[in-house]
């Protein structure tokens, strides 16, 4: 099982949703980076369950414990180990699932691959494991902050309700002002109402998270099989419930001609090459070109429905079941900090790779 992500700045995760703890080891963090523990905890709080009426009501403190690699408030260059203890498990809610395969979950595939599975909350396949990514992403953000690089994600679509403009049209400082993390207050209210309606029907709905990386210098990305956009795609598609990735104009760009898509080079105020437009999404030939990097990630409706569904048991016999427990009717709002985390890890990892290639 592949539990490590990254090339130079790496994250190895461990734990299950109903085990004693979830945690990880971050390796490759340069020495001397100021570690703001309050910032790391604040990032975890953004992902934490029980934030609002439209998220799961599981109550977890999600308090991070940093175990190694930090001395007197700075990284030492040694591996940074951390854990977050699980405290609010209702494992009995999953007893019925010991012998059942839930539709569109990892139950069947894990059972076939390993011959056994942890049926409590999905075990290793649970979205709870993403909190390790958020801790590592917070560490990457702290390092990127010193380089003038920022990462900002937001909800751009829930079901059919979508923002009508790109990120430049909105004040992204408003993202945390509402429960759905959408920078448009009117659209946010519509999204929140829709999620509430879906939840009341025992159903779920999907959406899209958009993300922009600012300040990434030119020359980040490794040809041929480690292109920056390919690494971002791998990072995003590894997130639970992710179903699609596009950067720049993405799929919408196929409706345009090359004369409309090409980012024409011009001289900027400092006498350096720049582009008039950014249809490429800040990446050309798999390497950053100095413009904003922007992309979108599509998330499916959560597979756990609070209504009766048909399925089969481990013997292949048809049966029905109704899920119990506390689940998100829409994963998108809580996926926003996870998308940011994976983007930060990927970009910082590639910055370190670029530095190594220059040396």
């Amino acid at each position: 099982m592949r539990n490590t992500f990254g090339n130079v700045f790496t994250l190895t995760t461990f734990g299950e949703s109903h085990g004693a703890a979830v945690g990880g080891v971050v390796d490759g963090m340069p020495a001397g980076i100021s570690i703001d523990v309050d910032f790391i905890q604040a990032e975890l709080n953004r992902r934490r369950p029980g934030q609002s009426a439209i998220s799961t009501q599981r109550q977890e403190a999600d308090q991070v414990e940093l175990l190694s690699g930090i001395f007197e408030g700075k990284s030492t260059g040694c591996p940074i180990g951390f854990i977050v203890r699980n405290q609010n498990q209702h494992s009995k809610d999953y007893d019925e699932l010991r012998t059942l395969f839930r539709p569109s979950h990892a139950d069947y595939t894990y059972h076939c691959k390993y011959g056994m599975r942890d049926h409590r909350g999905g075990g290793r396949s649970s979205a709870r494991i993403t909190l390790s990514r958020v801790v590592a992403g917070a560490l990457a953000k702290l390092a990127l902050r010193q380089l003038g690089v920022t990462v900002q994600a937001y909800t751009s679509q829930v079901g059919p309700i979508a923002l009508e403009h790109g990120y430049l049209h909105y004040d992204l400082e408003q993202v945390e002002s509402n429960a759905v993390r959408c920078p448009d207050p009117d659209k946010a209210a519509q999204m929140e109402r829709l999620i509430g309606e879906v939840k009341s029907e025992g159903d779920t709905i999907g959406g899209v998270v958009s993300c922009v990386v600012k300040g990434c210098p030119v020359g980040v990305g490794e040809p041929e099989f480690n292109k920056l956009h390919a690494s971002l795609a791998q990072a995003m598609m590894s997130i639970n419930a992710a179903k699609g990735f596009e950067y720049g104009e993405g799929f919408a760009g196929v409706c345009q001609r090359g004369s409309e898509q090409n980012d024409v080079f011009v001289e900027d105020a400092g006498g350096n090459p720049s582009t008039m437009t950014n249809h490429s999404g800040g990446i050309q030939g798999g390497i950053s070109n100095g413009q904003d990097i922007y992309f979108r990630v599509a998330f499916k409706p959560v597979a756990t429905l609070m209504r009766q569904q048909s399925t089969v048991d481990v013997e292949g016999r048809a049966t029905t079941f109704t899920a119990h427990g506390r689940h998100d009717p829409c994963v998108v709002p809580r996926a926003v900090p996870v998308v940011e985390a994976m983007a930060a890890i990927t970009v910082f990892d590639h910055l370190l790779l670029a530095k190594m290639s220059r040396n």
Side-chain angles (χ1 to χ4, degrees):
M1 183 182 285
R2 175 72 172 171
N3 297 297
T4 300
F5 179 81
N7 301 281
V8 181
F9 182 86
T10 65
L11 166 66
T12 301
T13 71
F14 62 83
E16 296 82 32
S17 61
H18 285 238
V22 173
V25 177
V26 170
D27 205 356
M29 184 70 159
I33 303 296
S34 295
I35 304 300
D36 184 344
V37 179
D38 290 337
F39 172 75
I40 297 172
Q41 186 60 53
E43 291 293 277
L44 271 178
N45 292 346
R46 296 173 64 211
R47 196 220 69 94
R48 188 170 57 191
Q51 297 179 47
S52 69
I54 61 171
S55 69
T56 173
Q57 294 308 293
R58 177 172 176 165
Q59 297 297 317
E60 289 276 6
D62 283 357
Q63 190 72 39
V64 65
E65 299 175 42
L66 299 173
L67 306 176
S68 63
I70 299 169
F71 179 67
E72 295 183 342
K74 293 185 182 295
S75 58
T76 64
C78 298
I80 299 176
F82 62 89
I83 61 170
V84 177
R85 299 182 190 277
N86 294 326
Q87 297 178 328
N88 192 230
Q89 303 134 312
H90 288 183
S91 297
K92 60 180 174 51
D93 289 340
Y94 300 90
D95 286 348
E96 181 186 10
L97 304 181
R98 183 183 293 273
T99 59
L100 298 180
F101 297 134
R102 295 170 296 173
S104 290
H105 283 76
D107 298 348
Y108 176 68
T109 51
Y110 266 60
H111 177 81
C112 290
K113 182 175 178 66
Y114 299 107
M116 61 180 296
R117 64 185 173 90
D118 184 347
H119 66 279
R120 307 164 302 166
R124 187 69 178 150
S125 66
S126 169
R128 180 155 179 76
I129 310 303
T130 60
L131 61 80
S132 296
R133 302 170 182 233
V134 174
V135 174
L139 290 167
K141 282 184 177 182
L142 290 171
L144 290 173
R145 181 187 295 174
Q146 297 190 17
L147 301 173
V149 180
T150 63
V151 181
Q152 175 74 69
Y154 59 95
T155 298
S156 55
Q157 184 170 346
V158 171
I161 303 169
L163 296 183
E164 299 168 358
H165 307 283
Y167 70 94
L168 292 172
H169 183 82
Y170 301 100
D171 178 7
L172 299 187
E173 295 296 323
Q174 299 301 310
V175 169
E176 295 296 324
S177 66
N178 56 74
V180 291
R181 294 197 164 95
C182 174
D184 183 319
D186 293 334
K187 292 288 187 180
Q190 294 177 43
M191 292 174 180
E192 191 165 353
R193 283 195 297 271
L194 176 58
I195 295 172
E197 291 170 6
V198 167
K199 180 181 179 181
S200 68
E201 297 168 0
D203 215 333
T204 62
I205 198 162
V208 177
V209 174
S210 294
C211 186
V212 57
V213 179
K214 291 179 174 289
C216 184
V218 180
V220 177
E222 303 293 323
E224 163 158 348
F225 299 109
N226 205 12
K227 294 180 172 72
L228 181 54
H229 62 268
S231 295
L232 284 168
Q234 179 190 3
M236 298 308 145
M237 293 303 292
S238 73
I239 301 173
N240 305 60
K243 284 293 185 180
F245 172 86
E246 61 176 358
Y247 76 102
E249 292 298 323
F251 288 103
V254 304
C255 298
Q256 295 181 320
R257 300 189 179 190
S259 55
E260 299 172 287
Q261 275 277 302
N262 281 357
D263 294 319
V264 176
F265 284 103
V266 294
E267 184 179 350
D268 67 14
N272 299 308
S274 184
T275 57
M276 292 181 63
T277 54
N278 189 20
H279 300 298
S280 300
I283 303 171
Q284 292 171 328
I287 300 172
S288 62
N289 67 1
Q291 302 299 314
D292 292 347
I293 297 168
Y294 65 94
F295 59 86
R296 291 160 297 280
V297 188
F299 289 89
K300 71 173 184 176
V302 178
T304 301
L305 309 183
M306 306 307 285
R307 56 166 68 176
Q308 189 178 81
Q309 297 184 78
S310 299
T311 189
V312 298
D313 63 18
V314 293
E315 302 297 331
R317 296 174 298 217
T319 185
T320 61
F321 83 105
T322 301
H324 303 286
R326 301 152 296 173
H327 306 279
D328 286 292
C330 179
V331 73
V332 174
R334 292 179 60 214
V336 167
V338 182
V339 167
E340 286 184 10
M342 293 307 293
I345 292 169
T346 303
V347 171
F348 186 52
D349 183 38
H350 268 274
L351 279 164
L352 293 175
L353 272 174
K355 182 179 179 180
M356 289 175 62
S357 66
R358 289 194 298 269
N359 296 336

